Amino acid sequence: MNLALPILVPVLPALGAAAGLATGRRYPGLARPLAVLPVAVSAVLALVTALQLGTGTTLDAATRLAPTGGPDISLALHLDGFSSLISVLVGLVATCVQVYSTAYLKDDPRYPSYAALVSLFTAAMFLVVYSGDLIVLLVGWEVMGICSYFLIGHHWEGADARTASLKAFLVTKLGDVPFLFGLFLLGADAGSFRITEVLHTAATGGLQHPTLTALLLLAGVAGKSAQFPLHTWLPDAMAGPTPVSALIHAATMVAAGIYLVARLLPVFLLSSAALLVLAVMAAVTMVGSALCALAQDDLKRVLAYSTVGQLGYMAGALASGDRQAAVFHLVAHGAFKALLFLTAGVVIHTAHTNSISAMSRIDGLRRRIPDAYWTMGIGLVALVGLPPFAGFFSKESVLTAAEHAADGEALTGHLGPASAVPAAAGWTVLVAGLLTALLTAAYATRLWLVAFHTGPVKPVAAPAGAPYSPEVDEADPAHDEPAAMRWTLWVLAVPTMGFGLLGLRSEWLPRLLDGEPLRPGFETAVLGTGAALAGILIAYAAWRAAGARAAAEQPATDPGRLLLGPLHGPAQHGFGVDRLYGALFVRPTAAAAKLVRFLDRAVVETYVRGAGAAPGWLGRAVRFAQTGNAQGYLSALLAGAVLLAVLVAVGS
């Protein structure tokens, strides 16, 4: 294979970002072509690279970048089925987001910088996927973090956007600190930061601290992929423009942590304790986020909590020892979640609110945006996991992996011993996954029915306290569905409907991954589909009950409130995790900062000012003796000489 092709995949978006930042203010007409063309070409090159690589083959190339006195840092390229498949997804979603943004942020004066940051974000994710060296991967990892800070805070005029961007940056950095130490441990034990060398060392039992290393890495994964307890930044990140949400929550930033664990899964298979921690983390994330999604009124926050839960499915597959199922669900989820966020952007643009309850009061909303209505339906069915959509096959592959792990038959393949996966991890993921399937179907059905099928009522303004969206004025108000926004929805609808069939009817996808079959097991398929159907029926019954209350002129009740009962309040506020962190960490840190400020001003500054003032006072005292009278100087000198003579005489 010509190495120029995979090298150009991350380089072109980076060059496009540099050109966009350099020319955006002076030549704003170049912003759109510089945003779309480099990313689109990279997507095509990623597809060509995947086709040339084929199935079951790998490509490694490296050159030493910097000697360190220890493990060298290499500019390394590692391509296999996993990296090629995910790179195609990244290219597809990033291209759709850039095209969509040309209409969505049509009149935004900061569009050139926004588009450049999206391109840089895309280049960083390509670097993470293609890198064969952990330190170079870390560079892409951190570039994504700083880009997300700027993109989430794009509407910096609003306090919510500023707070959300800062929170996302700090929470992910909190996980990145132990993550960095985990990488250092891997490099020290393997004698190299090359991923192939690390995996070879793990296979030969050369890692000295597998449990500690795996747990340190999981901290970074929890931050980047929004897993409990570092998940709280993701729902608040909805303050950014909706296309940014599609990019971050689908195929790029949040997927980076899952991809890293999948790449380094042989390291985690050396520690049953780490796998059990990962399983518990995934289970709590899945169930908790689904309950929170059922209580949200903000459309984008529902989808954000949905992302957190689906990432929990992927983490659960990895805890069950099956990275193939995890990556399968990662790619399927990337397609349908990008579709859901972009359709949400169209709905918000038309309804001029994020509030689902406010949308329900708009007469004929679904008739004004038919493309968004139908494609959102496709995305929600895939999210629920009903056949024959991609979400069904990928979700069932996760449940099948958990079932095998629970039976002590984890599908680890050539990665490591299946016995390393605790049966408790499999049972934890399986039970949590089935419960999450029911809750996911419930909140997806509630969203669909309340937003589009409650009414008809004359259009009204958003109710008091409804979430404000500064983005609604950015799109063209003359058209509910501009062409650039409408066609990207159908482009993403195609893999949402058809990608899952590749794992069922073709051997191409299993051969591209680990070679194991991806067909869902009969028991888990029945249980998973049954749970999803039960969730749909329960949500529908609650929606009908809420409608009956409204018809009887009783106080309106949200179906989610009926379903959750006393849990609705806590779930609406994320079960108080943010408040807990505020009490345990934020307030003590703020108090410590005030104490340090007081000590700095009252003690340190006083000392510094005193040290500076004392020489001044001494100088003033000495200055009084400097009269300029030579006779006075001689008199003082003579008096001093006499005094010395007297003292000497007395002393002798």
Side-chain angles (χ1 to χ4, degrees):
M1 176 188 291
N2 185 358
L3 289 178
L5 288 181
I7 291 173
L8 285 174
V9 170
V11 168
L12 286 178
L15 293 177
L21 290 173
T23 63
R25 288 176 177 264
R26 187 171 299 179
Y27 307 103
L30 293 176
R32 283 167 175 78
L34 286 175
V36 175
L37 291 179
V39 174
V41 173
S42 287
V44 173
L45 292 180
L47 178 60
V48 172
T49 299
L51 294 175
Q52 288 188 357
L53 184 67
T55 58
T57 57
T58 59
L59 174 66
D60 281 289
T63 180
R64 191 171 75 163
L65 188 62
T68 63
D72 290 338
I73 299 174
S74 302
L75 193 59
L77 185 71
H78 179 81
L79 297 180
D80 59 5
F82 286 97
S83 59
S84 60
L85 182 61
I86 294 176
S87 66
V88 172
L89 173 69
V90 172
L92 173 64
V93 173
T95 302
C96 289
V97 166
Q98 288 283 32
V99 173
Y100 183 97
S101 299
T102 60
Y104 198 83
L105 287 88
K106 180 179 179 181
D107 299 320
D108 192 321
R110 293 196 294 271
Y111 171 78
S113 61
Y114 161 89
L117 286 169
V118 170
S119 294
L120 183 59
F121 194 106
T122 305
M125 185 60 191
F126 277 132
L127 183 63
V128 168
V129 173
Y130 278 178
S131 176
D133 186 274
L134 291 173
I135 299 300
V136 176
L137 182 149
L138 180 66
V139 172
W141 183 281
E142 297 299 341
V143 170
M144 281 195 296
I146 192 63
C147 287
S148 69
Y149 169 77
F150 287 116
L151 289 170
I152 294 170
H154 179 75
H155 298 293
W156 50 264
E157 302 91 343
D160 288 345
R162 295 196 300 270
T163 303
S165 62
L166 185 61
K167 182 178 181 180
F169 184 78
L170 291 178
V171 173
T172 54
K173 294 310 110 182
L174 181 64
D176 286 350
V177 174
F179 176 76
L180 181 62
F181 284 103
L183 294 185
F184 287 161
L185 275 178
L186 279 180
D189 287 349
S192 173
F193 289 113
R194 291 281 302 278
I195 293 177
T196 52
E197 294 296 327
V198 169
L199 296 181
H200 175 72
T201 304
T204 56
L207 295 183
Q208 303 300 315
H209 314 90
T211 299
L212 177 60
T213 301
L215 293 177
L216 290 173
L217 293 176
L218 282 182
V221 171
K224 194 68 76 178
S225 291
Q227 297 295 283
F228 179 84
L230 299 181
H231 65 287
T232 57
W233 68 270
L234 197 61
D236 289 347
M238 296 301 95
T242 301
V244 169
S245 302
L247 188 70
I248 292 176
H249 296 73
T252 51
M253 182 170 166
V254 294
I258 300 298
Y259 172 78
L260 181 75
V261 178
R263 173 68 68 203
L264 298 178
L265 188 57
V267 175
F268 290 84
L269 288 174
L270 296 176
S271 172
S272 298
L275 291 175
L276 190 57
V277 169
L278 181 58
V280 172
M281 185 170 72
V284 174
T285 302
M286 281 190 278
V287 177
S289 63
L291 291 171
C292 291
L294 193 54
Q296 302 303 310
D297 184 58
D298 188 314
L299 173 59
K300 290 173 65 176
R301 287 182 72 87
V302 173
L303 297 180
Y305 275 115
S306 168
T307 298
V308 175
Q310 298 305 305
L311 290 166
Y313 269 111
M314 302 171 208
L318 294 169
S320 302
D322 193 340
R323 69 172 184 175
Q324 180 172 251
V327 173
F328 185 21
H329 194 54
L330 187 158
V331 176
H333 171 263
F336 67 71
K337 187 52 62 67
L339 174 63
L340 284 171
F341 270 107
L342 295 185
T343 55
V346 176
V347 175
I348 292 169
H349 156 239
T350 304
H352 288 265
T353 178
N354 290 20
S355 171
I356 299 172
S357 59
M359 294 171 190
S360 68
R361 296 175 170 86
I362 299 177
D363 185 23
L365 178 61
R366 64 180 183 270
R367 291 191 294 274
R368 292 174 58 183
I369 47 174
D371 293 274
Y373 172 75
W374 288 110
T375 52
M376 177 172 278
I378 292 170
L380 288 174
V381 172
L383 172 64
V384 169
L386 295 181
F389 294 85
F392 167 77
F393 299 106
S394 61
K395 182 194 72 177
E396 295 304 328
S397 69
V398 172
L399 296 178
T400 300
E403 180 191 21
H404 285 295
D407 292 338
E409 301 172 353
L411 301 175
T412 57
H414 62 280
L415 300 177
S419 58
V421 181
W427 280 112
T428 301
V429 173
L430 182 59
V431 173
L434 291 172
L435 178 58
T436 304
L438 185 147
L439 294 172
T440 300
Y443 70 69
T445 304
R446 165 188 171 265
L447 186 160
W448 180 251
L449 292 175
V450 173
F452 295 113
H453 294 275
T454 301
V457 185
K458 292 183 179 180
V460 297
Y468 168 69
S469 174
E471 311 158 38
V472 296
D473 295 324
E474 294 171 352
D476 187 356
H479 302 284
D480 290 329
E481 291 181 310
M485 296 165 63
R486 182 172 65 252
W487 290 111
T488 53
L489 303 182
W490 289 108
V491 168
L492 289 170
V494 172
T496 298
M497 292 186 287
F499 177 74
L501 298 175
L502 294 175
L504 181 68
R505 297 183 178 276
S506 171
E507 295 301 319
W508 171 78
L509 185 58
R511 288 177 57 199
L512 186 65
L513 302 177
D514 281 337
E516 299 289 344
L518 287 168
R519 294 182 179 87
F522 177 76
E523 295 85 357
T524 55
V526 171
L527 290 173
T529 305
L533 292 174
I536 292 172
L537 294 175
I538 291 171
Y540 178 76
W543 175 71
R544 290 294 300 270
R549 289 172 62 93
E553 297 183 354
Q554 297 179 3
T557 302
D558 181 79
R561 187 181 297 274
L562 291 177
L563 291 174
L564 290 174
L567 283 178
H568 184 271
Q572 192 174 30
H573 298 94
F575 293 102
V577 175
D578 275 327
R579 294 179 187 174
L580 178 64
Y581 288 168
L584 293 180
F585 304 110
V586 177
R587 281 185 229 160
T589 302
K594 290 181 180 178
L595 176 62
V596 170
R597 181 182 180 186
F598 168 77
L599 293 175
D600 181 62
R601 293 190 173 184
V603 179
V604 177
E605 283 192 19
T606 301
Y607 172 78
V608 172
R609 289 173 182 170
W617 296 334
L618 180 61
R620 292 191 194 97
V622 173
R623 188 175 63 190
F624 288 123
Q626 304 297 317
T627 62
N629 188 335
Q631 186 176 0
Y633 295 160
L634 291 173
S635 299
L637 181 62
L638 179 61
V642 171
L643 180 61
L644 288 174
V646 171
L647 291 174
V648 170
V650 172
S652 61

